[in-house]
Amino acid sequence: MLAIIGGSGLTQLANLNIIRQEVVRTPYGEPSGALTFGHLCAQPVVFLARHGYGHTIPPHKVNYQANLWALQQAKAEAIISVASVGGIRADMGPGVLVVPDQIIDYTWGRKSTFFEGGDGQVVHVDFTQPYDQALRARILRAVEAAGETAIDGGVYAATQGPRLETAAEINRLERDGADVVGMTGMPEAVLARELGIPYAAINVVVNYAAGRADSAQHISFDSIEAVLLQAMGRVRRVLDHLCEA
Ligand code: HPA
């Protein structure tokens, strides 16, 4: 079964034909909310709102371990993450969809492994390619089938939040090679890898990152809301075309 983790602006899937909801308990505590099972096009899908269905959980408080564990319990065979980001690269402005292919992790203090070492097991997963290539390709085919466009590839910088970055921090991220910046991509991606579940992301650029273009002096939350609303409609259409992709 395909799993979708929805971020800001995607706390529900309007096109999801809901069958049931399930509260899952995990050894890691509570997931962000109940899992919602349904059908998207003809396929069974499980959906989870990353920040809770009322959007009350900030990025640094999301229980990523519980979320991923719950999705594994639900027999998720692949996970598509939908997340809003700030655009660092000039061609990654508001409204642009990006299917990233790399990650740089700047988060700290998050529980970022299932392998704590307590049971005598030291495990180092390979993370050279953090996103599953076949799943990325499938997303890109769905983008095309939906008549949408997305940028194929990009480096996602995961910052701690919940505050936005300073202009100097964005300059540093750019020097590091980052193209977009968000707060939730890690440890979500690596926990999926540790569980052996293919994982890929659709990033929705909702603002230029701090210090860039119209965010030169400040980031406007009003325009973020407007872009989010419009762009998530397009993401829903892309998800609707996953079956044929
Ligand atoms: N920075 C970090 N996370 C974000 C941003 C940003 O500018 N926009 C949306 N999520």
Side-chain angles (χ1 to χ4, degrees), residues 84-87 159 163-165 181-183 206-210 219 224:
S84 63
V85 294
T159 56
R163 67 167 176 84
L164 293 161
E165 298 72 34
V181 55
M183 302 174 187
V206 293
N207 59 280
Y208 269 113
I219 292 175
I224 286 185

Side-chain angles (χ1 to χ4, degrees), residues 66-80:
N67 286 354
L68 274 290
W69 189 266
L71 291 177
Q72 190 196 42
Q73 291 296 106
K75 308 256 181 311
E77 289 158 352
I79 299 173
I80 294 178

